[in-house]
Amino acid sequence: MNLPLLSNCSAILLLALGLVAQPVSGSESARNERSARAGAPEVSFWNFDPCQGLIASPAQRTRVVRASAAVPQLPAVNDQPKLNPIYAPGTDPAKYVPGSTAQPFGQFDSFSLGKILFRPSARILYQYDSNLLNVPGVSTTANHSFQFEPSIEAFIPVTGNGIRVEYVAAYRKYSSFDLSRSLTHVINADSQINITPLLSLGVREHFALSSLDTREFVPGREIIFSDAPFRRNDVGAQLSWTITDRNTVGLDGDLNKISFDGGQLSAPAGTTFGNPADSIPFYDYDQYKYGGFYRRSVSQRTGLIFNGAYFRNLTKDPRDIANSRGFEALVGIETDLTPLTSGQFSVGFRGESFPGAPGQDFRGTVFRGVLQKEFTESIRIELSASRSTNPSYFQGNAYYVSTGVGLTYTQEVGPKLFLSVAPGYLSNSYPTPLTNGADVPSTLVGAENRADRLFELSVDARYRFTDWVALEFFCDLIHRDSALFAYRFTNYSAGGGILIGLHGANRGRFPY
C-alpha cells in the first residue's frame, strides 16, 4: 500500500469521526466491550452450534408478532439472547445465520445521516511475533509489525429489516518480511426480508481479499501462516416459515468460493501447501451446501432442532483425491438452564465420500456446542466445542478430523477496564499412515499417522478513556505439537495500540 492511499484512508476516517450529524448516546459502550475484541480476525478461535439463532429468547417465544417483523434498530423485547458469538477452535469464524445481524444493529453509539445509521472505528497496533513463519524453533523468524485498520459499519433502512454493511481495510507492514499483499479488504452484508408476517428470507455476504488470514480458507489450521494472495466470496441464505407458535421449518444454503492468484508460492518448510513447487494451491476450491431444519419449542426455556444438509467440495487438488460429497444430520437443543446459565448442543452423523480416495470415506459422529455462565454482571465464562472434517493436502490424505475445545473468561473491572483470557485446544487426526517424504523419518513410515495438537492462549486488556478512545494490550501464544518435527513450532506474540470508536459488527451475529 502506497503512502497516498494510506493518507486518503486516514483522511476519510478522520472525516467520518468528526461528523456531528445527530450523534447518539454512548451509554451502551461497556456492553460492547465484550464483543469488540471477538471481532478481530486474529483472536476469533470459537464457533457456535449450527442451530443457534433459530430458537428465540423466552420472551420472544410468547409473542405472536415475530422479532423478524420488528423495527431492526429497536429490539422487539428487552430479554435478548445472552449468548455471545464465540468460535470453537477449528471452525470458520466468518459464518453466521443470514439475517441475524441486521436486526440488532442499534442506535446506541452510532451516528445518523438522514435515515442511515453508521459507526466508524479504527485500530492502530504494534505487534511482535517470535516465530512468524511457524518453523521449528522458538525465535528463528522473529518479526515486528505495524497495523492500521479503519472500518465502517452502516445500517441502511431499505427493507423492513434494513441492510447491515461492514467494510474493513487492514494495512500490515512487517519489519523483515515483505508481504505479497499488504492491504486486506473484508466486506460483510446482511439483511432479512419479511415476505409475510410468518415467512422470512435472510441473505448474507462475506468477501475477503488478502494474503494472510488463513482461517478464511483452512479453518482446521492444517497450515497457519501463508503469504499466498487469495479472494473469498461466501454467500448464504435461509428461508424460515413459522407454522405455529411452537413450530418452524426452513431451508438454508451456502456457496463458498476460494480462488488464489497464479504464480509460485513462497512458504517455509512445515507451512507449505504440501509441495512448495505447486503453482496452484490445493485450497483453491468451491463448497456447496444446502439443507433444511425443523424447530420445536418444547417450553419457554427449551427448544429442539433437527437439521440436515447435503454438501459438495470441488477442489483443484492435483492429486485428484480431495473432491468430496456428503451429508450431515444433527439434532440439537438450546435451553436457558437458569437466568444466568444458557447453552446449546447438537450431535449427529456425517457421511462424506471421496471418489478419488474411496478407502478414506468418512462415517462418524460430529458435534457442536456452547455453554455460558454469568457469575455477575461483569464476569462471564463460556465453553465451546466442535468436531468435524476438513479437506487435507498432506501426503495421500483426503481429509482430517478436527476436534476443538475453547474457554473464554471475560471480566469488566470497573467502567473502564476490560479483561479477557481465552485458552483453546485443537486436535487434528489424519486417516492414512505416513509414507516416505522429506520431513518423515524412516522409523515412522507405515507405523504412525500424522496427528497434530494445537494449544492457544490469548490474554487481552483494554482500558477505555472515553466512549471513542481506548488502549489495548494483548499477549498470544500458539504451540503446535506433531508426530513430525517439521510441523512443530511455538510462536509468542505481544503488542498493543489505540482503538478509536466502537466496532459492533458481531452484535446479533449467530454463527452456524
Side-chain angles (χ1 to χ4, degrees):
M1 180 178 179
N2 55 38
L3 291 177
L5 181 57
L6 181 59
S7 300
N8 291 339
C9 291
S10 303
I12 292 173
L13 177 67
L14 293 175
L15 177 61
L17 291 174
L19 289 175
V20 293
Q22 304 176 24
V24 186
S25 170
S27 59
E28 294 288 311
S29 59
R31 272 173 280 180
N32 286 337
E33 290 296 327
R34 294 190 182 101
S35 62
R37 178 61 176 168
E42 63 269 21
V43 295
S44 294
F45 297 154
W46 321 93
N47 193 24
F48 263 151
D49 184 280
C51 303
Q52 174 65 30
L54 302 179
I55 295 290
S57 64
Q60 286 173 315
R61 290 198 290 269
T62 61
R63 296 174 59 90
V64 177
V65 179
R66 303 298 170 193
S68 60
V71 179
Q73 63 268 28
L74 297 177
V77 292
N78 292 327
D79 184 15
Q80 294 297 303
K82 297 178 181 180
L83 288 169
N84 281 339
I86 60 176
Y87 303 89
T91 53
D92 186 356
K95 300 283 190 181
Y96 55 95
V97 172
S100 65
T101 71
Q103 296 174 19
F105 193 102
Q107 293 181 344
F108 297 107
D109 308 311
S110 301
F111 293 95
S112 62
L113 186 62
K115 295 184 178 181
I116 298 177
L117 298 177
F118 65 95
R119 181 167 41 235
S121 62
R123 306 170 75 226
I124 304 173
L125 298 177
Y126 162 82
Q127 181 170 325
Y128 169 79
D129 289 274
S130 66
N131 190 1
L132 176 67
L133 303 184
N134 304 154
V135 296
V138 177
S139 58
T140 56
T141 57
N143 240 287
H144 305 265
S145 67
F146 162 82
Q147 181 175 347
F148 174 60
E149 185 181 299
S151 63
I152 188 165
E153 184 185 12
F155 174 79
I156 307 172
V158 174
T159 65
N161 290 293
I163 302 174
R164 184 188 69 82
V165 180
E166 173 195 18
Y167 171 68
V168 180
Y171 172 79
R172 187 185 291 267
K173 178 67 175 178
Y174 286 100
S175 60
S176 56
F177 186 87
D178 293 328
L179 287 171
S180 58
R181 179 172 288 156
S182 299
L183 184 61
T184 293
H185 303 273
V186 176
I187 298 174
N188 289 299
D190 190 32
S191 184
Q192 181 168 290
I193 302 171
N194 293 318
I195 303 173
T196 72
L198 300 179
L199 183 66
S200 64
L201 174 65
V203 181
R204 66 163 174 81
E205 158 75 6
H206 172 74
F207 175 83
L209 182 66
S210 176
S211 67
L212 293 172
D213 305 327
T214 56
R215 286 189 191 88
E216 292 279 1
F217 58 88
V218 57
R221 315 204 75 185
E222 184 171 71
I223 63 169
I224 297 175
F225 178 84
S226 168
D227 188 32
F230 72 92
R231 67 182 61 214
R232 175 187 181 185
N233 194 44
D234 188 357
V235 181
Q238 177 173 288
L239 182 68
S240 301
W241 178 28
T242 303
I243 303 175
T244 68
D245 285 345
R246 289 183 174 270
N247 298 278
T248 300
V249 296
L251 300 173
D252 50 40
D254 184 84
L255 171 59
N256 182 28
K257 299 178 69 69
I258 308 290
S259 59
F260 284 80
D261 293 351
Q264 299 293 320
L265 299 179
S266 57
T271 60
T272 66
F273 293 100
N275 297 311
D278 289 340
S279 59
I280 300 178
F282 154 67
Y283 297 100
D284 197 317
Y285 58 76
D286 297 339
Q287 291 180 324
Y288 304 85
K289 184 177 182 180
Y290 52 88
F293 64 88
Y294 166 70
R295 188 201 78 202
R296 171 71 176 177
S297 296
V298 296
S299 70
Q300 288 190 346
R301 287 185 173 271
T302 303
L304 297 176
I305 295 180
F306 302 89
N307 186 33
Y310 170 84
F311 57 87
R312 188 174 184 183
N313 298 328
L314 300 176
T315 75
K316 293 183 180 179
D317 179 9
R319 306 167 304 167
D320 197 27
I321 66 173
N323 297 331
S324 69
R325 60 173 61 93
F327 70 93
E328 192 176 73
L330 301 97
V331 58
I333 182 172
E334 182 182 54
T335 181
D336 295 322
L337 302 175
T338 71
L340 297 179
T341 305
S342 54
Q344 59 177 260
F345 184 80
S346 70
V347 62
F349 180 82
R350 182 183 181 99
E352 189 171 4
S353 61
F354 301 84
Q360 297 186 47
D361 291 352
F362 175 80
R363 301 288 185 270
T365 302
V366 292
F367 59 81
R368 303 171 186 93
V370 60
L371 179 67
Q372 174 178 280
K373 170 66 176 179
E374 294 185 61
F375 292 93
T376 68
E377 292 184 356
S378 60
I379 298 177
R380 173 179 299 174
I381 289 182
E382 297 151 321
L383 177 68
S384 63
S386 72
R387 183 178 193 261
S388 189
T389 62
N390 287 284
S392 172
Y393 190 33
F394 175 73
Q395 291 193 346
N397 294 274
Y399 72 93
Y400 57 96
V401 179
S402 294
T403 304
V405 179
L407 179 71
T408 303
Y409 171 86
T410 58
Q411 180 175 356
E412 296 175 12
V413 184
K416 295 184 177 182
L417 182 61
F418 172 81
L419 301 176
S420 173
V421 180
Y425 171 79
L426 175 64
S427 172
N428 291 331
S429 58
Y430 292 74
T432 66
L434 293 169
T435 59
N436 289 318
D439 299 323
V440 181
S442 58
T443 55
L444 300 181
V445 174
E448 290 191 26
N449 296 26
R450 178 180 171 183
D452 293 352
R453 295 175 298 277
L454 285 86
F455 304 88
E456 301 179 82
L457 176 65
S458 294
V459 180
D460 274 295
R462 174 178 292 135
Y463 184 84
R464 184 161 292 280
F465 293 99
T466 69
D467 290 342
W468 291 94
V469 179
L471 286 180
E472 179 184 31
F473 302 94
F474 58 88
C475 180
D476 299 332
L477 163 68
I478 178 170
H479 170 76
R480 180 168 66 187
D481 190 17
S482 176
L484 300 176
F485 176 78
Y487 294 90
R488 303 173 190 168
F489 77 91
T490 301
N491 180 35
Y492 302 91
S493 60
I498 300 175
L499 307 181
I500 304 172
L502 293 169
H503 191 181
N506 61 334
R507 263 198 296 181
R509 174 175 293 183
F510 294 119
Y512 288 97

